[in-house]
Amino acid sequence: MTANPEAEAEEPEQRPEQPEKPEPSGEAAAPQEAGGSAEPGTERLEKAVRAAETALIEFEIAVETFRVEVENFSRLHHQRLGPMYARLDELDAAILEVTAEISGDPEDLRKAQEARAAVLPMPRVEELFHGWIDSDGMPPEATAMLTGQNVQPPARVRPSEEARKAYRELVRKAHPDLAQEDGERQRREDFLVRVNKAYADGDAEALRNLLEEWENGPREEEPEPRVPQSELLYARLEWLAERKEVLTAMVAEMEASAIGAMLKMAPDDPDALLDEIAEQLLEQVADRERELARLVEQRDAAAAGNAAAAGNAGAAGNAGAGEQES
């Protein structure tokens, strides 16, 4: 999935099937030929509607694919890299604390206290939420109950190619916009909720089972049009344009997010980007650990020097007092 779903929707990877039926949506339903004869003069308009419908479905597939990748990347980023970020915060606080010990500067002490407060767990949060959330956040089981996601995070950012192909085929066949009646549209929407869930989980087997279920499922009968075909076609084109604008805004919002920006850095292999970021964080952790070790050594050496100086001063004072007594 590239960071530009609209561009992916135009890929010549596999031409979408032409829907057997025109697709209505609510009152703006796509028209159907009545009694085998179309309204005169609407053939070109029908072709335009079918082309726009196919393009929109492809765009929706690309947008949903990008949404899944953004969500998976976010979850994997937190799972795999969260501990490294926490370690960096801990090391930064420790470095500032040792620096304050060495300098004795009140400003250094203030910075150290602020950094330490940022990494300390929130006090007594458990009591506020009665076990639903603790100092580390909400447990996976609670998150799963609220979001409907699996407790286990996805194995990878981008679902396998097999899952992607099955998902595209399912959406092309079962898209709600291909429905003729509101009841059928609702059935398709409910079905696609299951399809999207299986795709988000990267479950190719579940997608294959859903495809078989759809192929063996009921088929909608074609109703007679209740309004002139040309009116339906123009209304349908207007709705398709509005839907395209909504999807484009969704893409822009996702691309503007921090995770979306990361995915744009590696559109061809987002999973490899996590490994690259992990390597960078490990290097930063190693640098911080070396800096902390150097400061601790400096602090301990200064403390030892001060102790030795104090001991020498004490010994000299005792010697001077002894000479005066004698």
Side-chain angles (χ1 to χ4, degrees):
M1 176 68 195
T2 64
N4 186 348
E6 188 168 2
E8 178 168 306
E10 298 172 358
E11 291 178 1
E13 167 193 342
Q14 181 179 353
R15 300 309 304 166
E17 302 172 355
Q18 290 295 334
E20 297 177 358
K21 310 171 187 174
E23 43 175 284
S25 175
E27 295 181 358
Q32 181 68 27
E33 296 182 358
S37 60
E39 183 179 321
T42 61
E43 291 83 359
R44 292 182 62 185
L45 189 55
E46 287 178 349
K47 291 181 180 179
V49 169
R50 285 197 297 269
E53 288 170 345
T54 299
L56 182 66
I57 290 175
E58 287 296 309
F59 189 34
E60 287 191 346
I61 290 172
V63 171
E64 178 62 15
T65 297
F66 187 45
R67 188 198 67 78
V68 165
E69 291 186 7
V70 168
E71 181 177 297
N72 286 353
F73 192 95
S74 177
R75 294 169 66 190
L76 285 170
H77 183 274
H78 177 74
Q79 178 205 27
R80 295 178 53 185
L81 307 183
M84 297 185 191
Y85 286 118
R87 176 61 177 160
L88 283 172
D89 289 342
E90 169 65 32
L91 288 169
D92 286 338
I95 287 172
L96 289 172
E97 287 169 341
V98 177
T99 300
E101 289 182 38
I102 294 173
S103 68
D105 188 333
E107 180 63 17
D108 288 343
L109 179 60
R110 182 190 65 79
K111 292 179 180 178
Q113 290 172 341
E114 288 183 354
R116 177 54 61 189
V119 298
L120 285 176
M122 295 175 61
R124 304 176 65 181
V125 174
E126 298 86 348
E127 299 178 10
L128 298 176
F129 292 89
H130 305 287
W132 277 88
I133 189 171
D134 56 23
S135 300
D136 296 325
M138 190 173 290
E141 293 78 7
T143 302
M145 290 180 65
L146 295 177
T147 64
Q149 296 176 341
N150 288 339
V151 175
Q152 294 296 328
R156 54 191 297 181
V157 175
R158 176 171 294 166
S160 67
E161 187 61 29
E162 180 184 3
R164 287 160 63 88
K165 290 178 65 176
Y167 175 73
R168 294 176 73 86
E169 185 174 0
L170 274 163
V171 175
R172 287 167 178 160
K173 292 183 175 181
H175 198 282
D177 285 349
L178 300 177
Q180 295 285 336
E181 294 288 351
D182 289 343
E184 173 66 8
R185 181 179 183 84
Q186 185 61 52
R187 182 177 81 90
R188 288 169 176 260
E189 288 178 351
D190 294 341
F191 182 77
L192 280 190
V193 168
R194 298 164 58 198
V195 171
N196 289 338
K197 172 92 169 48
Y199 181 64
D201 294 339
D203 193 338
E205 182 177 359
L207 289 168
R208 287 195 301 270
N209 293 337
L210 286 167
L211 183 58
E212 182 178 354
E213 177 183 333
W214 182 260
E215 295 289 355
N216 297 327
R219 289 291 178 267
E220 177 188 25
E221 294 184 3
E222 301 173 359
E224 293 291 332
R226 296 184 292 272
V227 295
Q229 188 178 25
S230 57
E231 291 185 20
L232 291 175
L233 289 169
Y234 280 117
R236 182 62 178 162
L237 282 175
E238 183 178 352
W239 182 89
L240 289 168
E242 292 174 354
R243 177 62 179 163
K244 177 72 176 298
E245 291 180 1
V246 170
L247 291 173
T248 301
M250 290 173 56
V251 172
E253 183 178 355
M254 287 189 291
E255 289 185 337
S257 68
I259 295 298
M262 288 186 185
L263 283 174
K264 289 170 67 176
M265 296 167 53
D268 297 327
D269 192 358
D271 295 277
L273 180 59
L274 284 174
D275 295 332
E276 181 180 343
I277 296 174
E279 291 179 3
Q280 295 174 357
L281 290 176
L282 285 173
E283 292 179 2
Q284 294 178 31
V285 167
D287 290 341
R288 301 289 206 288
E289 289 176 339
R290 285 191 291 269
E291 174 65 9
L292 179 59
R294 183 188 67 79
L295 289 170
V296 168
E297 183 179 355
Q298 179 181 342
R299 180 200 62 188
D300 293 346
N306 292 336
N312 292 336
N318 292 334
E323 290 178 358
Q324 290 179 359
E325 290 178 358
S326 61

